[in-house]
């Protein structure tokens, strides 16, 4: 990343800020990862794969990801109506980067937990 891009990332209207904040909320990464693993899922199937998300939050997360072009939603005119979700082409292009982040987190997770425990026992220096 160029120095100018890094400096611009600190401004409120920076594209990097908007994209990162959208995909790194509590649920978006889990939804994207689940869709990467399963390819196509109906709402209830996706909801069962992420057991601690509420229906309301899943609906909201899917709507945001669809609005950003990361997830595609296909409605089938059947009775009852069927809706399927999958990663869009843009969402698929994002996944290698998220997979790298997930791998990094798995590699360092136990050390991070150890560091948190050791620092929580120390008095706050601030």
């Amino acid at each position: 990343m160029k120095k100018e891009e890094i400096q611009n990332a600190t401004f409120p209207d920076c594209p990097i800020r908007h994209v990162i904040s959208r995909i790194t909320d509590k649920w978006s990464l889990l939804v994207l990862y689940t869709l990467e693993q399963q390819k196509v899922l109906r709402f209830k199937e996706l909801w069962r794969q992420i057991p601690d998300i509420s229906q309301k939050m899943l609906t909201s997360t899917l709507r945001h990801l669809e609005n950003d072009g990361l997830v595609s939603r296909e409605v089938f005119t059947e009775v009852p109506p069927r809706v399927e979700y999958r990663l869009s082409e843009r969402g698929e292009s994002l996944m290698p980067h998220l997979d790298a982040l997930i791998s990094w987190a798995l590699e360092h997770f136990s050390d991070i937990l150890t560091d948190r425990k050791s620092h929580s026992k120390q008095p706050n220096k601030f």
Side-chain angles (χ1 to χ4, degrees), residues 41-123:
L41 287 171
R42 294 175 74 174
F43 183 88
K44 289 283 188 182
E45 296 167 331
L46 184 55
W47 187 44
R48 284 186 208 110
Q49 295 288 322
I50 309 170
D52 51 344
I53 191 171
S54 69
Q55 286 187 4
K56 182 179 178 180
M57 187 52 67
L58 179 57
T59 299
S60 175
T61 301
L62 286 167
R63 195 170 290 134
H64 288 303
L65 293 171
E66 184 182 5
N67 289 344
D68 287 350
L70 298 171
V71 168
S72 64
R73 177 179 181 263
E74 186 174 2
V75 179
F76 297 88
T77 53
E78 302 171 349
V79 177
R82 178 170 51 114
V83 179
E84 293 180 344
Y85 295 91
R86 70 187 70 217
L87 290 178
S88 66
E89 191 174 317
R90 183 178 303 147
E92 288 177 6
S93 73
L94 175 62
M95 291 315 298
H97 307 285
L98 295 182
D99 288 340
L101 178 60
I102 291 166
S103 294
W104 181 90
L106 290 171
E107 179 182 340
H108 296 282
F109 187 62
S110 64
D111 293 334
I112 290 170
L113 289 179
T114 301
D115 289 344
R116 282 183 188 171
K117 285 180 185 175
S118 70
H119 286 282
S120 69
K121 293 175 185 175
Q122 297 175 5

Side-chain angles (χ1 to χ4, degrees), residues 23-58:
I23 62 172
T24 58
D25 66 51
K26 183 175 181 178
W27 301 111
S28 293
L29 283 174
L30 291 172
V31 169
L32 292 168
Y33 178 77
T34 303
L35 287 173
E36 178 190 32
Q37 300 303 304
Q38 302 292 320
K39 303 302 179 204
V40 177
L41 287 171
R42 294 175 74 174
F43 183 88
K44 289 283 188 182
E45 296 167 331
L46 184 55
W47 187 44
R48 284 186 208 110
Q49 295 288 322
I50 309 170
D52 51 344
I53 191 171
S54 69
Q55 286 187 4
K56 182 179 178 180
M57 187 52 67
L58 179 57

